[in-house]
Amino acid sequence: MPRAIRDGVSIYYERDDGDGTPVVFVQGLGYGRWMWRWQREAVADEYGVIAPDNRGTGRSDAGLPPIVPRLPGKLRTPLILKLAGYSIGGLAADLEAVLDDAGIYDAHVVGASMGGMIAQRYALEYSRAKTLTLLCTSHGGPDAVPVPEETQEQIFDVPSGASERETLRHRMRPAFNERFTNRNPHLMDRIIEWRLEQDASDPAREAQTAAVLNFDVSDRLDGIRVPTLVLHGTNDRVVPVENGELLAEKIADARLELVEGGSHCFFIEDADRVNEALLSFLADHE
């Protein structure tokens, strides 16, 4: 099992070798490697793949002070958000450690949601990104369009007495279109099981939340000098589509493709459309 070490924290990653420039898939907040299974299958015939677990997710260590995860949630959450959270810069440094460990010197970096934030910071501060693909993400800061209040309530106000599975199902409803979840109950059940197996623990998810809340590269995007594909669903109820439009405006060599009616997890719901756009973009820059 390949692992990179940064600041004493072990970061796990999967590696599939291929002929083309490796594609690096960077996960969203709390999500495990399962979220990219559709895109990994799509690129597997032509490209290598690097799929790290973000710090605190899956098989990667959390790197939090030992006492913090043991605290009750009401004490732990504000402590992590104010003092012990991660940073997007730190998560980008973890990614650099992974690519260095893997001996990768050029990579197509693909990030969704928080993973898109990590990808932006990575491209700004390190030299291995050949292209960027940014899905359902934001540049952060005061100009970004915030997560809608009703979505925040859905994510954080979990019904009293809910089981772990019920909590996961409740929190991820805004990330999918209701029509999709109603038509694919067995897939949604599978996703719950994947999440239970691979997602971040509650303390690590809170530490990742702190990284997202403090992220802002809105005044640095002119420093991104690699070809960039911005993909966004027009019905994203977590990171509104205006954020994708802002990214495409501010990154010099960026192309915006909107998926009509696409949700936050449009890379799952509209996997064929997303995969087609991704493969076309990668082929243009091989």
Side-chain angles (χ1 to χ4, degrees), residues 55 75 90 96 112 122 146 156 183 192 195 222 228 267 282-283:
R55 180 175 293 236
L75 292 176
E96 171 69 359
Y122 185 81
F156 294 107
R183 289 185 172 187
I192 292 294
R195 297 199 68 179
D222 59 353
T228 301
F267 47 89
L282 296 180

Side-chain angles (χ1 to χ4, degrees), residues 74-96:
K74 289 183 178 179
L75 292 176
R76 183 191 69 232
T77 302
L79 176 64
I80 288 177
L81 292 178
K82 291 180 180 178
L83 299 174
Y86 304 149
S87 69
I88 296 296
L91 295 171
D94 290 345
L95 179 58
E96 171 69 359

Side-chain angles (χ1 to χ4, degrees), residues 123-139:
L124 285 167
E125 298 185 4
Y126 302 97
S127 61
R128 301 177 202 256
K130 184 175 183 178
T131 68
L132 287 184
T133 301
L134 306 175
L135 300 88
C136 52
T137 193
S138 164
H139 56 50

Side-chain angles (χ1 to χ4, degrees), residues 14 63 82 95 99 101 145 186 225 251 254-255 269 275:
E14 291 185 343
K82 291 180 180 178
L95 179 58
L99 296 187
D101 184 79
V145 179
H186 297 301
R225 303 300 176 88
I251 297 174
R255 183 170 89 210
E269 292 191 30
N275 293 346

Side-chain angles (χ1 to χ4, degrees), residues 31 112-114 135-137 174-177 232-233 235-239 262-267 269:
Y31 278 33
S113 199
M114 183 186 77
L135 300 88
C136 52
T137 193
F176 288 88
N177 284 314
H232 219 113
N235 193 39
D236 191 331
R237 292 184 288 157
V238 180
V239 181
S263 68
H264 190 59
C265 285
F266 73 119
F267 47 89
E269 292 191 30

Side-chain angles (χ1 to χ4, degrees), residues 36 39 110-113 132-138 228-234 236 239-241 243-245 247-248 254-259 263-264 266-267 270-271 273-279 281:
W36 289 119
Q39 285 66 51
V110 181
S113 199
L132 287 184
T133 301
L134 306 175
L135 300 88
C136 52
T137 193
S138 164
T228 301
L229 174 63
V230 179
L231 291 166
H232 219 113
T234 62
D236 191 331
V239 181
V241 65
N243 291 291
E245 294 169 341
L247 279 171
R255 183 170 89 210
L256 174 65
E257 293 199 26
L258 300 180
V259 175
S263 68
H264 190 59
F266 73 119
F267 47 89
D270 301 285
R273 171 78 175 81
V274 169
N275 293 346
E276 180 184 3
L278 176 61
L279 286 169
F281 175 69

